[in-house]
Amino acid sequence: MKLIIQREQGADSYEEEFALSATSAITLLSALYEIKSKLDSTLTFGAGCRSGVCGSCAVLVNGKEQLACSYKHKAGDKIEPLRYHKILRDLKVDKSKAHAKIEPIVVDEHRAGSIPNIADENRTKKQSDCILCDSCYSACPVLAVNENFMGPFALTKAYKNTILSPSGSISILKNVQKDGIWDCTLCGECTLVCPQGIDPKGDIMMLRGEAGKAGYMDPNFSSMDFGTPDFGGGF
Amino acid sequence: MTDLLVIGSGGAGLTAAIEARQKGFSVIVVTKTLPTQAQTCMAQGGINASLANVTDDDVQLHIQDTLRSSAGLADTDMVSKMCHEASSSLEWLESIGVPFSRIDGADDALSSIAQRRLGGASAKRACYAQDYTGLKILHTLYERSVEVGVRFVSEHYLLNLLVDDDRVVAGAIFWDIQKGEVVAIEAGQTIIATGGYGGLYHEHTTNSYGSSGDGIAAVLRAGGVVSDMEFVQFHPTALHGSAILISESARGEGGYLIDHNGDRFVDELAPRDKVSRAIFAQMQMGHNVRLDIRHLGRQKIETLMPQELHLCRLHAGIDPIEEPIPIMPVAHYTMGGIEVDDQLRVRNLQNCYAIGECSNAKVHGANRLGGNSLLEIIAFGRVVSRHMSKDISTSKCDIEARIEEDKKAIEKIFAKPNEVNFYRKRKILGKLMYKDVGIIRDNAKMHEASVYLNEIHDKLGIMGVGDKEPKNNQDLVEFLEFRNTLVLAKATLLSAISRTESRGAHHRSDFPTTRDEWSRHSYIELVDGDPRARESL
């Protein structure tokens, strides 16, 4: 079985094909380790828990984000590093810039006064399943044109925190205005690739609703071109 | 120079960091990966606190359950301290926004946390957040750390503690993985929170790749002591081959363990160590053991165990609705670790603490009670920050000289011939420790293992790295981790050989009973770089 891996070694960037025995490695992550331990010790990638909760091993497989530990590779698969991250070496990327984007949405006060119940648990259950694997960030086309865009996971966390901390939501909503909720095109790519089944697009829409209630407006709205008004009728 | 250096970004490290930061300390948290990739994220079951939200409970019952599980090797005062901290620890987690599972109609936030019964508990005591308790605690702690201004230094691998001749610690030396440089981080006080050593059972553990006991090995090299290393908890049901954990809920819901004839052979709900031994005994006879949940029915399996279903299909290529799951017991939690006093100070070292799985705070003894590991990291993460003071003795460590030493050591590794592939030896070590120093032990097998271990050790001189590029060198980091596991494997083996009894997770077929004279701890130190047992402290 052959795997094609995008290599980034110093200034060199190239595709390399590796031949693996068909049966030995079960997941893509174990295949990467097989290559590293037997064929090429310079191959560099992220690895951790092997069971899909630590977020270390997300890569692109044939252009789509996958956790290497949770993906069964097929012959001819092409493996690349995540998009919109600085590549450190081969499949290993620098996630510090992406992760710093949660800074504006963390809050110090939680749940002033209210007593949570099962309904409250359900309101943030999915959002708090995030493992910070950066798959959604890599899939987001907005980041191709605006590198300052906060990105899907930070906005999902923002939404989660507005629920958990009603008193903190004022500052969160303020901090997601610029390069935040209004910059999203609602294309839903983030939702499609999340290994935890989180729906950042939905969370961003919820945040827009909350922002509207708090008096914020879509800044794109005033500059939108609605064309010539058509009142119907005519001849 | 920072007031406090925390090595390790799991639940223990982050809790201590947040609390110290709030006391006005400058805090740096160093991790060899990224902050949220720590092992804490894998904890599913829950965190114990006798809140009595669902069933009657009492802190005394929690203490009793913990002591019973520990098989006489836990320290009553430390257990009592941890259990009494439980309620306020949960209150704290609640206040920083951990999204726990809930019950309806509670009188206050703390009472609204849902609780379930875990093995060995006399009440529904484990607070949980669905099956992601550790993940959600860890990520909430991370957000809180960012909010209070903890400084994170990622991708720095611990090489050595900075100690002077009086063993006063002044921080630590790290390998900056991204830059490929040796750097020192100086600190008034240092907390080691680097996790356990389950990684020495490579491919036979539920632990993540990085569980190589780096902090424990560093303490040994700095002149500290480790204790009770022979106590390793094995989880009965991991997937055969991949060692991926299949949660206890599969048995809790009524799953059967069956032998090669399809017959049940053990009470599936007995404590973890008993079930693990029964399965391992079958395996020693050459029989495969499987977990059968087919009789629970498709609907129940799909609703209650969606994660397990997915993991079985992916890693074992089988559908548990149609066929039984091939399983094996694997290393899950290491009870032993850095010897600390009742204030969690590392024995023999000054200005240095150890918390969490890397430390042996004597709260688990010979066998850990489910739900107490998450409790330990939060409770003692908070306790240790109370002991922090800015009034400390200064270290006379010659930092420049120590950096030079470690630089030379790394250069030496790069220069070594790479004649023996350590990845192969890592596999062999894992299998050897599992077979001979695992669930059922005996003198003959362990002495044989000792010969093999020494053989691997002797080859270290011609074992190096194939990758010679300093920057982002995963090969080097994994080699350094392997070296640490090798030292800790020896320590584990030595302690297991000398303990001529069976107690908790340590079971010897040649000494099957618990003996009163062994109601004491075992200690290991390094003598000329080699682990040696010592009788007492």
Side-chain angles (χ1 to χ4, degrees), chain B residues 6-299:
Chain B
V6 179
I7 309 171
S9 65
L14 292 189
T15 300
I18 293 165
E19 293 283 77
R21 186 75 196 103
Q22 295 204 295
K23 275 176 72 174
F25 281 63
S26 56
V27 182
I28 292 179
V29 173
V30 179
T31 162
K32 62 179 173 181
T33 56
L34 294 180
T36 52
Q37 295 175 356
Q39 173 91 31
T40 303
C41 71
M42 297 177 79
Q44 299 179 330
I47 170 167
N48 284 340
S50 50
L51 303 176
N53 291 350
V54 183
T55 55
D56 282 346
D57 200 3
D58 184 82
V59 68
Q60 291 307 327
L61 290 173
H62 185 186
I63 294 170
Q64 280 170 27
D65 290 345
T66 304
L67 290 173
R68 191 183 322 113
S69 178
S70 78
L73 213 61
D75 181 293
T76 311
D77 291 343
M78 291 303 278
V79 168
S80 168
K81 188 189 268 191
M82 178 179 77
C83 296
H84 277 105
E85 284 287 331
S87 168
S88 64
S89 294
L90 263 295
E91 211 167 333
W92 183 71
L93 289 176
E94 174 67 25
S95 76
I96 64 169
V98 175
F100 285 109
S101 290
R102 302 290 172 180
I103 53 172
D104 281 336
D107 295 331
D108 55 62
L110 191 61
S111 317
S112 75
I113 300 174
Q115 296 188 284
R116 60 183 163 209
R117 189 193 303 269
L118 297 181
S122 53
K124 289 190 176 180
R125 185 179 296 138
C127 306
Y128 59 95
Q130 305 91 43
D131 264 344
Y132 285 126
T133 316
L135 176 81
K136 295 191 180 190
I137 289 177
L138 183 66
H139 281 248
T140 306
L141 289 172
Y142 175 57
E143 284 188 36
R144 183 70 179 150
S145 309
V146 170
E147 198 272 322
V148 299
V150 169
R151 203 183 130 207
F152 284 97
V153 176
S154 298
E155 297 220 50
H156 275 54
Y157 181 82
L158 172 66
L159 293 175
N160 279 300
L161 295 170
L162 283 166
V163 275
D164 66 10
D165 294 340
D166 300 322
R167 290 184 178 150
V168 182
V169 176
I173 301 184
F174 299 90
W175 174 251
D176 178 340
I177 299 170
Q178 288 191 17
K179 288 193 180 140
E181 288 169 6
V182 173
V183 295
I185 297 180
E186 290 173 64
Q189 283 162 105
T190 302
I191 294 178
I192 301 166
T194 48
Y197 50 97
L200 62 90
Y201 294 91
H202 187 73
E203 293 185 343
H204 298 82
T205 175
T206 57
N207 289 186
S208 79
Y209 284 116
S211 304
S212 46
D214 302 321
I216 307 172
V219 162
L220 275 174
R221 290 193 295 271
V225 179
V226 300
S227 52
D228 300 335
M229 294 292 284
E230 65 274 38
F231 294 101
V232 177
Q233 184 174 77
F234 284 78
H235 194 287
T237 56
L239 290 179
H240 195 272
S242 61
I244 300 289
L245 179 72
I246 295 301
S247 146
E248 214 140 64
S249 62
R251 279 174 294 133
E253 295 297 339
Y256 297 145
L257 288 167
I258 54 170
D259 64 13
H260 61 299
N261 291 322
D263 297 328
R264 293 172 68 190
F265 58 91
V266 63
D267 171 11
E268 288 85 358
L269 298 176
R272 278 181 186 173
D273 57 328
K274 280 200 186 116
V275 180
S276 292
R277 279 198 291 277
I279 298 171
F280 193 73
Q282 291 284 330
M283 289 167 60
Q284 280 184 318
M285 292 187 284
H287 301 150
N288 289 328
V289 173
R290 292 174 298 166
L291 174 64
D292 194 352
I293 56 171
R294 291 175 298 179
H295 56 284
L296 302 179
R298 174 181 295 271
Q299 203 195 350

Side-chain angles (χ1 to χ4, degrees), chain A residues 1 5-6 10-11 15 19 34 40 49 56 67 77 122 125 157-158 162 164 168 175 193 203 216-219:
Chain A
M1 182 192 285
I5 298 181
Q6 178 64 37
E15 280 181 10
E34 190 176 318
D40 183 349
C49 72
S56 314
L67 295 179
D77 277 347
N122 289 333
K125 187 156 89 177
K157 279 181 181 290
T162 61
L164 289 176
N175 290 342
V193 301
D203 296 334
Y216 290 101
M217 257 185 21
D218 184 347

Side-chain angles (χ1 to χ4, degrees), chain A residues 9-10 26-27 29-30 33 36-39 41-57 68-72 86-89 92-96 99-100 102-111 114-122 124-134 157 160-161 164 195-196, chain B residues 33-38 41-42 94-109 112 114 128-130 132 135-136 139-140 142-144 146-147 155 177-178 203 205-210 241-245 307 310-311 313-317 418 421 423-424 426-427 465-475 478:
Chain A
Q9 293 278 341
I26 293 160
T27 62
L29 185 63
S30 47
Y33 261 117
K36 187 166 184 63
S37 61
K38 291 180 185 160
L39 303 172
S41 58
T42 66
L43 182 68
T44 307
F45 50 89
C49 72
R50 303 166 294 130
S51 48
V53 280
C54 80
S56 314
C57 67
C69 73
S70 309
Y71 177 79
K72 236 182 170 67
K86 186 179 148 202
I87 297 168
L88 293 170
R89 200 176 174 193
K92 182 184 169 190
V93 296
D94 184 356
K95 293 182 172 174
S96 56
H99 288 193
I102 71 160
E103 279 167 25
I105 57 88
V106 294
V107 283
D108 63 347
E109 278 179 86
H110 288 277
R111 231 180 242 122
S114 71
I115 300 165
N117 55 28
I118 293 172
D120 290 319
E121 174 196 344
N122 289 333
T124 60
K125 187 156 89 177
K126 218 35 189 169
Q127 288 82 356
S128 54
D129 281 349
C130 175
I131 59 172
L132 275 183
C133 67
D134 289 27
K157 279 181 181 290
K160 176 202 73 172
N161 285 347
L164 289 176
Q196 293 286 77
Chain B
T33 56
L34 294 180
T36 52
Q37 295 175 356
C41 71
M42 297 177 79
E94 174 67 25
S95 76
I96 64 169
V98 175
F100 285 109
S101 290
R102 302 290 172 180
I103 53 172
D104 281 336
D107 295 331
D108 55 62
S112 75
Y128 59 95
Q130 305 91 43
Y132 285 126
L135 176 81
K136 295 191 180 190
H139 281 248
T140 306
Y142 175 57
E143 284 188 36
R144 183 70 179 150
V146 170
E147 198 272 322
E155 297 220 50
I177 299 170
Q178 288 191 17
E203 293 185 343
T205 175
T206 57
N207 289 186
S208 79
Y209 284 116
S242 61
I244 300 289
L245 179 72
Q307 278 194 67
H310 167 72
L311 290 169
R313 286 170 178 160
L314 175 74
H315 293 275
N418 186 29
N421 182 337
Y423 284 109
R424 274 182 64 98
R426 184 170 77 168
K427 262 181 189 285
V465 291
D467 185 0
K468 307 293 183 187
E469 163 63 41
K471 290 180 186 167
N472 294 298
N473 190 323
Q474 185 184 348
D475 206 16
E478 288 175 350

